[in-house]
């Protein structure tokens, strides 16, 4: 078991328990975190699970794949630390990960 913290745009912090092997999107949905929709079921097709990776975690999370980058490019709130939560696989090294949600998940 590991912990992931989601920060809403208004500053509310939600720390949830997650199992190794799931994605950050699954951890959010399983714990009822508002703002992470995952409309495509985690298939990297919709960008409704857009998050900003806390800079302290950027290296551990890694870079987006070309497919993920293409989806993120459709976002008006794209930033250097943007990722799709469905593409962040939770491994032990990410215990304590902090992800911030944008103001709106709707493009």
């Amino acid at each position: 078991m590991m912990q992931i913290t989601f920060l809403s745009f208004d500053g509310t912090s939600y720390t949830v328990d997650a199992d190794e092997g799931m994605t950050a999107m699954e951890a959010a949905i399983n714990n009822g975190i508002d703002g992470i929709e995952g409309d495509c079921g985690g298939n990297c097709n919709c960008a409704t699970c857009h998050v900003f990776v806390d800079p302290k975690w950027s290296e551990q999370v890694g870079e987006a794949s070309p497919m993920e980058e293409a989806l993120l490019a459709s976002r008006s709130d794209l930033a250097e630390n943007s990722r799709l939560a469905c593409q962040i696989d939770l491994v032990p090294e990410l215990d304590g990960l902090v992800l911030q949600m944008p103001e709106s998940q709707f493009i």
Side-chain angles (χ1 to χ4, degrees), residues 35-47:
I36 302 288
E37 300 298 322
D39 290 345
C40 71
N43 292 310
C44 197
N45 280 330
C46 70

Side-chain angles (χ1 to χ4, degrees), residues 25 29 35-43 46-50 86 105:
M25 182 208 75
I29 290 173
I36 302 288
E37 300 298 322
D39 290 345
C40 71
N43 292 310
C46 70
T48 61
C49 64
H50 175 227
C86 70
Q105 288 293 356

Side-chain angles (χ1 to χ4, degrees), residues 77-105:
D77 53 0
L78 180 66
E80 188 174 306
N81 60 337
S82 287
R83 289 293 308 269
L84 296 179
C86 70
Q87 299 301 297
I88 300 174
D89 293 319
L90 298 180
V91 295
E93 295 79 24
L94 295 181
D95 187 19
L97 176 64
V98 177
L99 301 171
Q100 183 170 353
M101 296 178 287
E103 183 172 9
S104 173
Q105 288 293 356

Side-chain angles (χ1 to χ4, degrees), residues 56-67:
K56 292 185 265 184
W57 290 95
S58 293
E59 188 174 317
Q60 293 95 321
V61 170
E63 296 184 12
S65 69
M67 177 187 276

Side-chain angles (χ1 to χ4, degrees), residues 4-66:
I4 307 298
T5 299
F6 294 90
L7 301 173
S8 69
F9 182 77
D10 69 6
T12 305
S13 176
Y14 305 93
T15 299
V16 302
D17 291 326
D19 292 324
E20 179 182 345
M22 66 176 28
T23 65
M25 182 208 75
E26 291 169 325
I29 290 173
N30 290 350
N31 287 281
I33 303 297
D34 288 333
I36 302 288
E37 300 298 322
D39 290 345
C40 71
N43 292 310
C44 197
N45 280 330
C46 70
T48 61
C49 64
H50 175 227
V51 293
F52 303 111
V53 176
D54 183 281
K56 292 185 265 184
W57 290 95
S58 293
E59 188 174 317
Q60 293 95 321
V61 170
E63 296 184 12
S65 69

